[in-house]
Amino acid sequence: MANDGSQVLVLYKVVNSGTDGDGALYNAFHMPRGRGLSLAAVKQHCAATRVMSHAGADGYHWRVRVDEKSAADGRGPPQYSWWDVQDEKAKLPIKDAPMSEIERLFSTKKRAPSVEQTPASKTTAKATRMLGKAMNAVANAVDGPAPQQEYGPRMSVIAFKLLDLGRMESNFNRMHFGGKGSRKTARHARPRPAAPPVRRQPAPAPA
C-alpha cells in the first residue's frame, strides 16, 4: 500500500505463539505516523493483541527491529538486531525505503529440504558451484557488479518481535509445578477460640 509518508506499516510476530516462527510471515496493520511512532501509540492501534491476550498489548514483551546499513550494491543479507524498548513514549526508528528494498529486508526465505547425496552427486554439485563462481567472476571483471534494481513506491515500515508473557508463565508452571499453579498453597488450620479466663476463689482469711 503506497502512501505519502503519513501512514506506517507495522509488522510484528509473536515468537513463542507456536505459529509465528522465524520462517513465518509477519502480521501487519497500518497506523498514522503523526510526529513519530512510540511503543505506547503502537500498542493502542494493535487491535489483534486485545483479542489474543486478556491483558491486551501489555501481555507481551515488545522488541523493535533496528536495521544496520546494508552494502552499497544491496546484495548482502540484511543486518539487524532486536532492541528492548525502555521508554514507551520515546520515538522509534522507522524504515523509509522503496518497496523493493522493504521486500528484501523482510522476506522470509524458506530453506530447501535436505536431500541425501551420493559421492557422485556431491562431486557434480561442487563442480557446478565452482563453475558458477568462475562465470560470476568473469562477468564482474568485465561489467562490474550489477546494482540492485529498485522498484515500487516508497514505504514506511517498522517491525516488532513479541513475546507472549502469559504463555511463557504457563509453560514455566507446567514444567516446574505440573500445571497446578505457580506456587503450592499451604493449608492453614483454623485458629481455635481462646478459653475463657478462670476466676480464682480468694484465699480464706486466717483464723
Side-chain angles (χ1 to χ4, degrees):
M1 177 179 177
N3 59 71
D4 56 357
S6 62
Q7 295 286 318
V8 177
L9 178 64
V10 181
L11 307 176
Y12 67 96
K13 290 182 180 181
V14 184
V15 293
N16 63 335
S17 65
T19 57
D20 293 353
D22 292 336
L25 298 175
Y26 282 90
N27 305 294
F29 64 92
H30 283 90
M31 65 173 292
R33 182 168 189 154
R35 296 183 179 179
L37 250 61
S38 65
L39 179 57
V42 172
K43 285 184 175 182
Q44 291 178 357
H45 285 81
C46 189
T49 55
R50 294 193 288 270
V51 179
M52 296 187 300
S53 172
H54 69 278
D58 292 330
Y60 300 88
H61 177 71
W62 295 65
R63 286 182 173 179
V64 64
R65 171 169 161 164
V66 178
D67 290 273
E68 301 176 5
K69 290 185 178 180
S70 57
D73 57 2
R75 287 188 167 187
Q79 302 294 327
Y80 60 88
S81 56
W82 298 99
W83 288 31
D84 292 324
V85 182
Q86 302 295 335
D87 184 1
E88 292 197 2
K89 296 182 179 180
K91 292 183 179 180
L92 300 177
I94 300 175
K95 184 71 175 180
D96 295 300
M99 185 182 296
S100 57
E101 184 177 351
I102 297 299
E103 181 181 356
R104 181 180 64 84
L105 291 175
F106 295 98
S107 62
T108 54
K109 297 181 180 179
K110 295 183 178 180
R111 297 181 179 179
S114 58
V115 180
E116 185 177 356
Q117 295 181 341
T118 62
S121 62
K122 290 182 179 180
T123 303
T124 303
K126 184 177 181 180
T128 303
R129 288 196 299 269
M130 293 179 62
L131 178 60
K133 290 182 180 179
M135 293 177 65
N136 289 334
V138 173
N140 291 336
V142 175
D143 300 327
Q148 186 77 17
Q149 296 293 329
E150 295 185 357
Y151 59 85
R154 296 187 68 84
M155 301 178 62
S156 301
V157 180
I158 188 170
F160 294 92
K161 182 168 67 173
L162 279 61
L163 183 66
D164 189 337
L165 299 178
R167 190 182 186 91
M168 183 178 178
E169 182 180 4
S170 298
N171 292 339
F172 178 84
N173 292 339
R174 185 168 57 253
M175 291 176 59
H176 295 276
F177 304 104
K180 296 181 180 180
S182 58
R183 294 181 180 178
K184 294 183 179 179
T185 57
R187 295 183 178 180
H188 298 280
R190 294 182 179 179
R192 295 181 178 179
V198 179
R199 293 184 180 181
R200 295 184 178 181
Q201 296 294 333

